[in-house]
Amino acid sequence: MAEKRRRNNNIIIGLDVGTTKICAIAGEITDGGMNILSVSSHPSTGLRKGVVIDMEATANSIKRAVADVEDHLGMVIKDVLVGIAGSHIKSFNSYGAVGIKGKEVTAEDVERAIDAASAVYVPLDREMLHVLPTDFILDGQEGIKDPVGMAGVRLEVKVYIVTGAVSSVQNLLKCCERAGLEVADIVLQPLASAGATLTDDERDMGIALVDIGGGTTDIAVYKEGWLRHTSVLGIGGNHFTNDISVGLRLPFHEAERVKKKYGSILPESGNPAEVDVVAIDGQVRGIPKKYIAEILQPRCEELLELVKQEIDGLQNNGFIISGLVLTGGSSLLAGFDRMAEAMLSMPVRIGYPYLSAENFNNGSGARTMNGNATGELKGEFNNPMYATGVGLVLYGIEAMMPSERSGFSSDIFNRIIAKMAGWFKNILGKK
Ligand SMILES: Nc1ncnc2c1ncn2[C@@H]1O[C@H](COP(=O)(O)OP(=O)(O)OP(=O)(O)O)[C@@H](O)[C@H]1O
Ligand SMILES: [Mg+2]
């Protein structure tokens, strides 16, 4: 079987290493678009709050998820784009400026400006993951999105630099390495989720993407098209499950089932009046359904209060946010979006990854997912849980295609290769 397998350079594999599941998604670059070819998800047991704590367990889950996709596609997977999250992620703003040599700004000038902005001190225990422009200023004129081709003599760039703890980054890389994979790039998970769920209009107007996963809630705020702020809250769906487990004295896996099947914080969540649960002694018992809502409500309020504090803090600094997009598995909890709308006083929607299919049209034609022209992911995978995985594939595809949207992303692939070499050198050096 193995010898029949082939490699295909047009296929990008996104690997979402989450706290509750590890998911591999294969996407194929087509003429001006993409197809999602295969998705596989396996339970994850080796992470806590988005960070690897058990390398063996994580590597095994990665192996399983990737092997499924390999079997499905009949090909060998060698490299993946992997998402990273966790409270070790820290970000800051920086600034760089360069003189323009020619008559107009070239992609190389933009690269030089970004490089100048990246030349900042980063402690030895931190790794730079992304240097993301937030504004270009040409001869004092602010608010330029793409300066390539414009006339000017001095180009300034404001950037948002995302860093991660070297140890957490390397543990993730080592898990992939143990699973027999090379990592083509490490991408901040909320950046990937945003790529798969937000529209260009939302990014322009100012939007907060809130990815409520199993172990953490990741916030990414966009304004004027750029990522401007990220943060991680240490609460996720596992806490909801844990509360049900303790409150109703149920084993964790039964509490998880009950939460997904009956969990709701809607006012009418008392219907049906009673639901059956399997208690710790194996006996089936009926419990009033409203108990589940009574347990979930305060925890959801607590989480949304933390999100509100974060957003209020930004708005108080003149950073107007027009709405919220909830994604990640826990955004499916019935009534969560309505509670968020009421508490934050702004429009809230659930971010399904299929929306990205429309967003990703970079002027060269529509893209498709699973051959569906509207770009909808089919069946069980049309779920906010897969926003990060789909976003990783989109990130990889955008990095490989010369983009018409920006003059600098065509070089991302070269940077990826350079960065990759550095990472693996570090790992090998520490062995
Ligand atoms: N229908 C549902 N109702 C309520 N919660 C749900 C539902 N479906 C999934 N969840 C919850 O979503 C969580 C998993 O979401 P997701 O897959 O986005 O997390 P993850 O990526 O594994 O974790 P993280 O991003 O925090 O590392 C689990 O806690 C699960 O219970
Ligand atoms: Mg996740």
Side-chain angles (χ1 to χ4, degrees):
M1 178 71 203
E3 61 276 11
K4 278 194 200 153
R5 290 180 168 171
R6 64 203 154 84
R7 281 198 68 194
N8 185 333
N9 291 334
N10 281 336
I11 294 181
I12 301 269
I13 312 291
L15 184 67
D16 175 14
V17 182
T19 309
T20 64
K21 53 110 190 28
I22 290 183
C23 152
I25 301 189
E28 180 185 36
I29 302 174
T30 60
D31 285 344
M34 70 168 282
N35 278 320
I36 293 286
L37 299 174
S38 180
V39 186
S40 159
S41 182
H42 276 264
S44 160
T45 52
L47 275 86
R48 203 159 170 267
K49 295 195 176 193
V51 173
V52 177
I53 53 157
D54 181 340
M55 302 238 298
E56 203 54 46
T58 307
N60 285 337
S61 303
I62 293 175
K63 252 187 227 164
R64 267 182 236 131
V66 170
D68 276 358
V69 172
E70 285 186 328
D71 286 347
H72 186 200
L73 300 182
M75 60 172 274
V76 180
I77 292 173
K78 211 163 165 282
D79 29 65
V80 294
L81 275 101
V82 68
I84 193 161
S87 52
H88 64 98
I89 301 287
K90 300 267 180 296
S91 307
F92 58 91
N93 292 305
S94 177
Y95 163 91
V98 288
I100 305 301
K101 289 178 191 146
K103 287 193 181 114
E104 59 182 46
V105 180
T106 61
E108 290 80 67
D109 294 323
V110 173
E111 287 291 332
R112 280 194 302 122
I114 293 174
D115 283 348
S118 332
V120 285
Y121 171 73
V122 175
L124 283 178
D125 60 349
R126 303 205 70 77
E127 180 97 50
M128 236 186 240
L129 298 172
H130 295 285
V131 180
L132 304 163
T134 60
D135 194 13
F136 288 102
I137 306 160
L138 192 56
D139 293 349
Q141 175 64 53
E142 294 188 355
I144 296 171
K145 285 211 169 140
D146 182 3
V148 174
M150 294 178 76
V153 292
R154 180 181 160 83
L155 178 67
E156 297 162 82
V157 61
K158 292 181 187 167
V159 295
Y160 184 67
I161 296 181
V162 181
T163 70
V166 168
S167 53
S168 302
V169 174
Q170 292 198 346
N171 285 339
L172 182 61
L173 286 167
K174 280 184 185 176
C175 290
C176 294
E177 198 188 21
R178 278 196 195 181
L181 299 165
E182 282 176 21
V183 174
D185 201 4
I186 299 187
V187 183
L188 185 68
Q189 283 183 15
L191 187 70
S193 306
T197 54
L198 299 184
T199 64
D200 286 348
D201 282 347
E202 283 172 334
R203 277 180 237 230
D204 280 342
M205 283 182 69
I207 196 100
L209 177 84
V210 182
D211 182 337
I212 315 165
T216 61
T217 294
D218 305 327
I219 304 177
V221 178
Y222 281 79
K223 184 86 187 163
E224 286 153 7
W226 308 108
L227 177 71
R228 301 290 295 276
H229 175 85
T230 54
S231 59
V232 179
L233 305 173
I235 301 185
N238 277 349
H239 296 84
F240 301 168
T241 307
N242 212 35
D243 289 351
I244 294 177
S245 167
V246 172
L248 300 179
R249 297 192 176 80
L250 300 176
F252 189 87
H253 63 87
E254 175 63 358
E256 177 76 7
R257 183 191 72 84
V258 167
K259 178 185 80 172
K260 286 192 192 163
K261 188 148 189 216
Y262 306 113
S264 169
I265 44 174
L266 290 167
E268 64 270 21
S269 53
N271 288 325
E274 241 185 41
V275 296
D276 284 344
V277 298
V278 184
I280 197 111
D281 56 4
Q283 301 284 318
V284 177
R285 293 193 172 86
I287 55 144
K289 193 175 167 225
K290 67 172 185 185
Y291 283 7
I292 303 167
E294 282 169 9
I295 291 170
L296 290 172
Q297 260 163 9
R299 183 62 100 169
C300 291
E301 265 171 32
E302 181 194 354
L303 173 55
L304 287 170
E305 190 51 51
L306 293 172
V307 174
K308 185 173 170 2
Q309 279 172 18
E310 194 84 21
I311 287 176
D312 285 352
L314 289 167
Q315 303 220 90
N316 290 341
N317 285 323
F319 208 100
I320 304 302
I321 294 165
S322 320
L324 210 72
V325 174
L326 299 180
T327 192
S330 302
S331 67
L332 290 174
L333 193 65
F336 206 92
D337 49 346
R338 285 212 225 155
M339 186 188 248
E341 223 160 45
M343 282 183 67
L344 284 107
S345 312
M346 57 176 69
V348 176
R349 73 169 177 89
I350 310 276
Y352 284 81
Y354 67 87
L355 255 184
S356 59
E358 285 143 28
N359 306 340
F360 186 67
N361 184 347
N362 67 359
S364 52
R367 61 185 165 168
T368 59
M369 284 180 175
N370 274 350
N372 180 340
T374 60
E376 207 167 295
L377 273 172
K378 281 185 186 158
E380 60 175 307
F381 297 113
N382 180 16
N383 185 310
M385 274 168 75
Y386 300 110
T388 308
V390 172
L392 288 169
V393 176
L394 294 178
Y395 185 94
I397 287 178
E398 196 160 358
M400 283 185 76
M401 293 206 307
S403 169
E404 290 162 29
R405 283 197 299 195
S406 56
F408 47 88
S409 65
S410 59
D411 205 40
I412 289 180
F413 201 67
N414 291 336
R415 288 204 209 175
I416 288 174
I417 302 292
K419 222 168 21 164
M420 201 175 115
W423 277 328
F424 280 96
K425 208 163 55 203
N426 286 344
I427 285 188
L428 295 173
K430 293 212 169 184
K431 258 184 179 173

